[in-house]
Amino acid sequence: MAVPAAARPAAWLRDNCPCTRCRDPRSGQKLFQITDLPADLAIAAATEADDGRLEVLWSDGHRSTYPPGRLVADDGGDRRTEAGKRLWRAADFTSGSPEADWSAYLRDPAEQAAVLRAVQRLGFAVLRGVPVEERQVLAVAESFGHVRRTNYGELFDVRVEPNPNNLAFTAAAIAPHTDNPYRDPVPTVQLLHCLANDAEGGDSALVDGFQAAALLRAEAPDDFAVLTRTLVPFVFRDRHTELRAERPLITTDPLGRIREVRLNNRSIGRLDLPDTELEQFYAAYRRFAEITLRPELQLAFRLAPGDCLVFDNTRLLHARTAFESGGTSHSPEGAGGGRRHLQGCYADLDALNSTLAVLDRRTAALDELAALFEGAGAGEYLGEAVTQAEHMLQAAALAQRDGAPDALVAAALLHDVGHFFDRHSTAAVSGHQLMAGRDNRHSETGADWLARWFPPSVTEPVRLHVAAKRYLCTVEPAYRARLSEASEFTLQVQGGPLTEEQAAAFAELPGAADAVAVRRWDDEAKDPGADVPRFDDYRPLLARLMAER
Amino acid sequence: MAVPAAARPAAWLRDNCPCTRCRDPRSGQKLFQITDLPADLAIAAATEADDGRLEVLWSDGHRSTYPPGRLVADDGGDRRTEAGKRLWRAADFTSGSPEADWSAYLRDPAEQAAVLRAVQRLGFAVLRGVPVEERQVLAVAESFGHVRRTNYGELFDVRVEPNPNNLAFTAAAIAPHTDNPYRDPVPTVQLLHCLANDAEGGDSALVDGFQAAALLRAEAPDDFAVLTRTLVPFVFRDRHTELRAERPLITTDPLGRIREVRLNNRSIGRLDLPDTELEQFYAAYRRFAEITLRPELQLAFRLAPGDCLVFDNTRLLHARTAFESGGTSHSPEGAGGGRRHLQGCYADLDALNSTLAVLDRRTAALDELAALFEGAGAGEYLGEAVTQAEHMLQAAALAQRDGAPDALVAAALLHDVGHFFDRHSTAAVSGHQLMAGRDNRHSETGADWLARWFPPSVTEPVRLHVAAKRYLCTVEPAYRARLSEASEFTLQVQGGPLTEEQAAAFAELPGAADAVAVRRWDDEAKDPGADVPRFDDYRPLLARLMAER
């Protein structure tokens, strides 16, 4: 059979039937059990339609229609194993570590995506300029996921405590380690926000634990194998807690790929193994620990107040040098002298990866818009002296000039995107077609497309901007008199001025005033000589609005 | 060498050195890195002390002392694999499912431990009589752990929603499945609290996924192997979420033991495998799904308002039958008619297991106390007509008679436990020894022992109850006159009445009034005919107080 999809195994093909009886169109979830299918399911007939779609009639009478081409497999997230990572050594960051300014991260989704991608691919990133205030670390965690509460609370203070239940809360040096190995599931992301660090010592270091494990595999494959198969008890006890987990130091997935590293000398318990295996384990454990201490793997740095380190706790090892604790030291402010104080919390990679995927989805939509501005937007605009893209960019600039809120700037920028689409395909239509009256509903088309990505504060002024013109012609005779020839022509196609009754009803609509504002920028945005920002300059604003949907 | 510990591998033995240079006495955490030890570490000399302790001199000069007998390995928590579970079929619960009343669970830590142990061992338990109020499910989760927030929020409402992003929020039947397979780490505990269930249908079922996996392994080992090695993409997308995880349907640990089951037809994505492997996977997946549908595995029940089901989401599959959704139905109360409404949230097994371990630790301490009441407590009490145990049980009963708060009932019950201990060993001492003046500090001994388990509200009245006698002798001449002969004798051993100055200082102590109250019950508790509760009757009260420490 010539059709690629039909050549795939029947159960697989049927399991991925996209019809609305098989998949809920709202959630995309499957509506049937694998056991609902006949055990002897087979393809009774398969035909390729003219448009390349594959029509399958099944032996149980069900009919499936598949989109043209091969069915694309789901990327199931090997971003959690070494296959989805870039392993590194300290020298890879001589020109700087992945970092961003907190205000830029908040303002620009592209900046946020870059930070989250660094955590996903490299295992860490540093946010600078996070306000030096308690509990801010929680705001950083909530910016991409959910705080994972532990026995240490919603957050924990890393500073010298009078009665520490953990060495982290002393001034002692701490070797490269992962946190909470006695938790299962282990928290997969850790955040450390520096509030004060004028102690002598207390520098930080990170080690790529996947790199260390990969080196162990290359240099001593038998030791690597020992560490992937030996279950190690990790234990933590205090008054209210008795946590135990039994996990290997290196976890691989069923394909043998490194997936998790757990290394923490402080909480390794007493292993229960025959002597030979104990000896093998201790030799391998030692070799692995030695690799993590190699200077070329240790990325050393110093956290300054306002820095927030975000890292993958299933991969990166973190360490600190010993420090002189406050009170004894060079600074005169008593309790503030020689103080080191971090606030930390935990979160999880799944939400981080989800946030990044959604940001990427939005970026793809913006890319699509940008391409429309470049492509169809370069076409003539209803016989005016500007292109469609120039017209829309000017409208946005005028909205900004008038101090309009972001949503209205976006509505002005995007008000005519409906012109870019034919009603029945995504092919662009020309101004000539518009003039011929083929797209008198472009405001609806545009608003509907935008509604997949933008909130009503953007889409509704777009939807109403043609009605706003008809409204203004009714209530402001001078407005109509100013219309360009082309606009007067399309007014007729669009239904002419509203009746008095219709105008009164329009004025009552929730988005009416916003639509009228967009309309006025629309009418003004026809200056062939205007110097305006480019589409890309609006990306942060558009991406922020997308997050409000 | 005759000493068992010294025969173990050197690295293991040294890694478990209990000295305070090797282990922080506060946190129990190790203070050295494995790499801090010499690579050629060896035992230079090992000697067994008279008391059985092993003294080791190491080649690097360090000295270790190990307790008598073999070093006990840490139980690292194979409670997460099938090795720590009791696999079940529906028929195992014909005489009832593991359940408890919510108020009993809150009142009696033994009841709480039974519920948590059921979740640990069987995978589930039902709490009855949880108040039918929104957000109560969070209180249940917080009673043993921490709520795991997800894209569905801190909690989620399982009821028919107008625009569901998940089939759970419709009236459709849902086959046995685990939740959130697209999350990694997956939430390991799920809670479902029933607020209303007068719909037609909407019954619940649970299946032991470990049992189903074990049956698959027994009946079709090749299929079992396929499901443990095939990475399956699980996907969930909505407006703000794009979660992906790539995990096997059955996860085994490095010893091949079943550790996690992930089965959810709704969110299995499109696998990317060669055709032969796809065919093998689909055959194995189908067989596994068929096993989960076997009637003998399905424990069917109906949640009633106030029921809260707590279950292991890495093991148990949950299901529901379709139901008639409200509004259309037989009940006249409009929105309330035929309504099914559960509130759910997620939590994690590690905290649940920790809470249970701490409860068990306290139970062990209570067992130790109970044994003391049985053993040493059966001894004579300073020549009085009651045993030591009878005396303390009477004191507690008198405190209860007087409406004393729990902490004072406990202090009265335990005020003389110091008598049970020699100052230098745990061997009990006799009343004769006390009379001979060997234990004039039994209040301190007792309070110190109790402070490992009880809060100051219990220990401080115990600590001060001898001083309270000396105080009363000073400020109430009639009190002294009423002392028994034995008590008058021990008064002298204890230092005689306080001076006026000492008495004034005593009265200022925070626990003075409580200690005086305990003292009066102490003095009164010498009635040979009194009928009093047994030690075990005080266990819930004592266990609750332990939780306050």
Side-chain angles (χ1 to χ4, degrees):
Chain A
M1 206 173 303
V3 183
R8 304 306 303 274
W12 179 86
L13 193 60
R14 175 63 173 273
D15 195 34
N16 291 302
C17 173
C19 85
T20 54
R21 281 173 59 201
C22 288
R23 271 191 190 265
D24 186 288
R26 297 163 299 191
S27 65
Q29 293 182 304
K30 273 176 213 174
L31 292 165
F32 63 96
Q33 299 298 311
I34 195 70
T35 47
D36 293 339
L37 305 181
D40 57 356
L41 180 73
I43 293 175
T47 52
E48 194 179 338
D50 287 346
D51 58 4
R53 284 182 300 167
L54 175 71
E55 317 262 4
V56 173
L57 172 64
W58 295 96
S59 57
D60 63 350
H62 188 76
R63 288 177 186 275
S64 303
T65 303
Y66 299 91
R70 279 188 88 84
L71 289 180
V72 179
D74 277 302
D75 165 11
D78 62 4
R79 53 185 74 75
R80 284 293 295 277
T81 74
E82 58 180 320
K85 311 294 185 187
R86 210 186 95 208
L87 306 197
W88 54 260
R89 293 162 195 248
D92 294 331
F93 301 110
T94 41
S95 58
S97 295
E99 63 171 73
D101 185 71
W102 174 237
S103 60
Y105 173 99
L106 290 177
R107 195 176 52 240
D108 183 358
E111 199 75 11
Q112 184 184 12
V115 167
L116 302 184
R117 200 177 323 280
V119 178
Q120 185 188 81
R121 298 266 300 155
L122 300 169
F124 76 107
V126 181
L127 286 161
R128 311 281 189 196
V130 177
V132 182
E133 290 164 22
E134 305 226 347
R135 303 182 65 77
Q136 279 292 314
V137 70
L138 300 176
V140 177
E142 296 293 345
S143 76
F144 62 76
H146 314 290
V147 171
R148 175 100 77 91
R149 192 184 281 266
T150 70
N151 52 306
Y152 301 106
E154 188 181 22
L155 59 75
F156 50 91
D157 288 286
V158 184
R159 62 185 166 194
V160 177
E161 297 280 357
N163 288 303
N165 68 345
N166 193 303
L167 290 175
F169 313 141
T170 70
I174 307 216
H177 68 284
T178 61
D179 262 26
N180 279 356
Y182 34 77
R183 281 209 169 267
D184 186 4
V186 71
T188 51
V189 173
Q190 182 171 175
L191 296 93
L192 287 171
H193 177 217
C194 181
L195 295 174
N197 197 8
D198 41 342
E200 194 80 41
D203 289 351
S204 301
L206 290 173
V207 173
D208 183 352
F210 278 18
Q211 177 75 276
L215 287 169
L216 180 69
R217 180 174 53 196
E219 298 171 10
D222 291 347
D223 284 349
F224 179 83
V226 165
L227 295 192
T228 59
R229 72 169 180 251
T230 305
L231 290 169
V232 177
F234 290 97
V235 183
F236 179 85
R237 285 189 199 90
D238 71 6
R239 195 178 288 187
H240 299 290
T241 311
E242 182 150 337
L243 287 158
R244 292 155 182 278
E246 193 170 55
R247 301 293 273 166
L249 298 192
I250 301 170
T251 301
T252 49
D253 79 355
L255 304 182
R257 301 177 298 190
I258 298 163
R259 193 175 211 282
E260 259 183 50
V261 164
R262 237 171 240 239
L263 188 68
N264 189 316
N265 71 298
R266 282 172 287 158
S267 47
I268 285 188
R270 223 170 278 155
L271 284 83
D272 182 20
L273 290 173
D275 287 357
T276 320
E277 290 179 40
L278 275 184
E279 275 158 14
Q280 285 175 344
F281 169 77
Y282 269 98
Y285 167 33
R286 181 191 187 86
R287 193 189 292 261
F288 184 40
E290 280 168 351
I291 291 174
T292 69
L293 296 179
R294 289 181 188 169
E296 66 268 28
L297 293 196
Q298 303 230 356
L299 178 65
F301 56 97
R302 188 173 175 84
L303 288 174
D307 291 351
C308 184
L309 177 63
V310 183
F311 60 97
D312 178 345
N313 187 50
T314 67
R315 173 184 173 195
L316 287 216
L317 314 174
H318 61 294
R320 71 149 187 249
T321 59
F323 60 94
E324 292 291 325
S325 103
T328 61
S329 77
H330 42 283
S331 158
E333 318 101 72
R339 217 158 55 92
R340 186 177 191 272
H341 183 192
L342 313 183
Q343 278 194 328
C345 73
Y346 300 106
D348 280 303
L349 286 170
D350 49 9
L352 184 149
N353 289 334
S354 169
T355 301
L356 177 56
V358 170
L359 289 173
D360 284 349
R361 214 157 69 180
R362 292 179 189 147
T363 298
L366 291 180
D367 289 346
E368 199 178 335
L369 278 174
L372 289 171
F373 271 74
E374 292 279 312
E380 61 169 313
Y381 173 54
L382 306 177
E384 305 281 359
V386 290
T387 65
Q388 292 191 44
E390 283 165 352
H391 166 63
M392 290 160 79
L393 290 166
Q394 273 185 44
L398 292 166
Q400 285 186 301
R401 177 200 69 188
D402 293 348
D406 285 355
L408 282 193
V409 172
L413 178 67
L414 304 172
H415 72 275
D416 273 349
V417 290
H419 282 322
F420 296 162
F421 307 110
D422 183 83
R423 301 290 308 283
H424 300 297
S425 82
T426 54
V429 292
S430 71
H432 284 300
Q433 289 171 304
L434 296 174
M435 294 297 281
R438 273 206 33 209
D439 191 58
N440 59 2
R441 287 178 54 77
H442 78 275
S443 59
E444 288 285 346
T445 307
D448 287 349
W449 189 91
L450 293 171
R452 285 165 54 203
W453 301 105
F454 291 94
S457 58
V458 174
T459 59
E460 296 323 287
V462 171
R463 192 181 305 284
L464 295 178
H465 84 279
V466 168
K469 172 181 166 187
R470 300 175 60 201
Y471 165 78
L472 284 169
C473 287
T474 306
V475 301
E476 282 186 30
Y479 171 86
R480 182 166 184 184
R482 281 196 309 272
L483 287 186
S484 68
E485 199 180 327
S487 201
E488 175 61 35
F489 176 82
T490 52
L491 174 65
Q492 300 311 319
V493 178
Q494 289 153 352
L498 298 181
T499 65
E500 292 291 335
E501 211 165 55
Q502 287 171 327
F506 175 85
E508 293 295 312
L509 292 176
D514 287 345
V516 165
V518 168
R519 186 72 228 179
R520 294 194 195 274
W521 297 314
D522 178 0
D523 294 325
E524 196 181 338
K526 295 169 182 178
D527 175 359
D531 182 24
V532 293
R534 296 161 309 139
F535 178 82
D536 280 354
D537 296 327
Y538 292 102
R539 279 179 171 260
L541 176 151
L542 294 174
R544 282 199 302 278
L545 288 163
M546 286 170 137
E548 289 174 16
R549 180 175 167 267
Chain B
M1 207 173 301
V3 183
R8 304 307 304 273
W12 178 87
L13 194 59
R14 175 64 171 273
D15 196 34
N16 292 302
C17 172
C19 87
T20 56
R21 282 173 58 201
C22 289
R23 271 190 190 265
D24 186 289
R26 296 163 299 190
S27 66
Q29 293 182 304
K30 273 177 213 174
L31 293 165
F32 63 96
Q33 300 297 312
I34 195 71
T35 48
D36 293 339
L37 305 181
D40 57 354
L41 180 73
I43 293 173
T47 51
E48 194 179 338
D50 288 347
D51 58 5
R53 285 181 301 167
L54 174 72
E55 316 261 5
V56 173
L57 173 64
W58 295 95
S59 56
D60 64 350
H62 188 76
R63 286 176 186 278
S64 303
T65 303
Y66 299 91
R70 279 187 88 84
L71 289 180
V72 178
D74 276 303
D75 166 10
D78 63 5
R79 51 184 78 72
R80 285 292 295 278
T81 75
E82 60 180 318
K85 311 294 185 188
R86 211 186 95 209
L87 306 197
W88 54 261
R89 294 162 195 249
D92 294 333
F93 301 111
T94 41
S95 59
S97 295
E99 63 171 73
D101 185 71
W102 174 238
S103 61
Y105 173 99
L106 290 177
R107 194 176 55 239
D108 183 358
E111 198 75 9
Q112 183 184 11
V115 167
L116 301 184
R117 201 179 320 282
V119 179
Q120 185 188 82
R121 298 266 300 156
L122 300 169
F124 76 105
V126 181
L127 286 162
R128 310 281 187 195
V130 177
V132 183
E133 290 163 20
E134 304 228 347
R135 302 182 65 77
Q136 280 291 314
V137 69
L138 301 176
V140 177
E142 296 293 346
S143 76
F144 61 77
H146 314 290
V147 171
R148 175 100 78 91
R149 191 185 281 266
T150 70
N151 52 306
Y152 302 106
E154 188 180 23
L155 59 74
F156 50 90
D157 289 285
V158 184
R159 63 184 164 193
V160 177
E161 297 281 356
N163 289 302
N165 67 345
N166 193 303
L167 290 175
F169 312 141
T170 70
I174 306 219
H177 68 285
T178 62
D179 262 25
N180 278 358
Y182 34 76
R183 282 209 167 266
D184 184 5
V186 72
T188 51
V189 173
Q190 182 170 177
L191 297 93
L192 287 171
H193 176 216
C194 181
L195 295 174
N197 197 8
D198 42 343
E200 194 79 40
D203 288 352
S204 302
L206 290 173
V207 173
D208 183 353
F210 279 18
Q211 177 75 277
L215 288 169
L216 180 69
R217 181 174 52 198
E219 298 170 11
D222 291 347
D223 283 349
F224 180 83
V226 165
L227 295 192
T228 60
R229 71 169 181 251
T230 306
L231 290 169
V232 177
F234 290 96
V235 183
F236 180 84
R237 285 188 200 91
D238 70 6
R239 195 179 287 188
H240 299 290
T241 313
E242 181 150 337
L243 288 159
R244 290 156 183 278
E246 192 170 55
R247 301 292 273 167
L249 298 192
I250 301 171
T251 301
T252 49
D253 78 355
L255 304 182
R257 302 177 297 190
I258 298 164
R259 194 176 209 281
E260 259 182 48
V261 164
R262 237 171 241 239
L263 188 67
N264 189 316
N265 71 298
R266 281 172 288 158
S267 48
I268 286 190
R270 224 171 277 157
L271 284 83
D272 181 18
L273 289 174
D275 287 356
T276 322
E277 289 178 41
L278 275 184
E279 275 158 13
Q280 285 175 346
F281 169 77
Y282 269 97
Y285 167 33
R286 181 191 187 85
R287 194 189 292 262
F288 185 38
E290 280 169 353
I291 291 174
T292 69
L293 296 179
R294 288 182 189 167
E296 66 266 30
L297 293 196
Q298 303 230 357
L299 179 65
F301 56 97
R302 189 174 175 85
L303 289 174
D307 291 351
C308 184
L309 177 63
V310 182
F311 61 97
D312 179 346
N313 187 51
T314 67
R315 174 183 173 195
L316 287 217
L317 313 174
H318 61 295
R320 72 150 185 250
T321 59
F323 59 96
E324 292 291 327
S325 102
T328 62
S329 78
H330 43 281
S331 159
E333 319 101 74
R339 218 159 55 92
R340 185 177 190 270
H341 183 193
L342 314 182
Q343 278 194 328
C345 72
Y346 300 106
D348 280 304
L349 285 170
D350 51 8
L352 184 149
N353 289 334
S354 169
T355 301
L356 177 56
V358 170
L359 289 173
D360 284 349
R361 214 157 70 179
R362 292 180 189 146
T363 298
L366 291 179
D367 288 346
E368 202 179 332
L369 278 174
L372 289 170
F373 271 75
E374 292 281 311
E380 61 171 313
Y381 174 53
L382 304 176
E384 305 282 357
V386 289
T387 65
Q388 292 190 44
E390 283 165 351
H391 166 64
M392 289 160 81
L393 289 165
Q394 273 184 43
L398 293 166
Q400 287 187 301
R401 176 202 67 190
D402 293 348
D406 285 354
L408 282 193
V409 173
L413 178 68
L414 304 171
H415 72 275
D416 273 350
V417 289
H419 282 321
F420 294 163
F421 306 110
D422 183 83
R423 299 291 307 284
H424 301 295
S425 83
T426 55
V429 292
S430 73
H432 285 299
Q433 289 170 305
L434 295 174
M435 293 297 281
R438 272 206 35 208
D439 190 59
N440 58 3
R441 288 179 54 78
H442 78 275
S443 59
E444 289 285 345
T445 308
D448 287 349
W449 189 90
L450 293 172
R452 286 166 54 203
W453 301 106
F454 291 96
S457 59
V458 175
T459 59
E460 296 322 287
V462 171
R463 192 180 307 282
L464 294 178
H465 86 276
V466 169
K469 172 180 168 188
R470 299 174 60 201
Y471 165 79
L472 284 169
C473 288
T474 306
V475 301
E476 282 186 29
Y479 171 86
R480 182 166 184 182
R482 281 197 309 271
L483 286 185
S484 68
E485 198 179 330
S487 201
E488 175 61 34
F489 176 83
T490 53
L491 175 65
Q492 300 311 318
V493 179
Q494 289 153 350
L498 298 181
T499 64
E500 292 291 335
E501 212 165 55
Q502 287 171 326
F506 174 86
E508 293 294 312
L509 293 177
D514 287 345
V516 165
V518 168
R519 185 73 229 178
R520 294 195 196 274
W521 297 315
D522 179 0
D523 293 326
E524 196 181 340
K526 296 170 180 176
D527 175 0
D531 182 23
V532 293
R534 297 159 309 139
F535 178 83
D536 280 352
D537 297 326
Y538 291 103
R539 278 177 171 261
L541 177 150
L542 295 174
R544 281 199 304 276
L545 289 163
M546 288 170 137
E548 290 175 17
R549 178 173 170 269

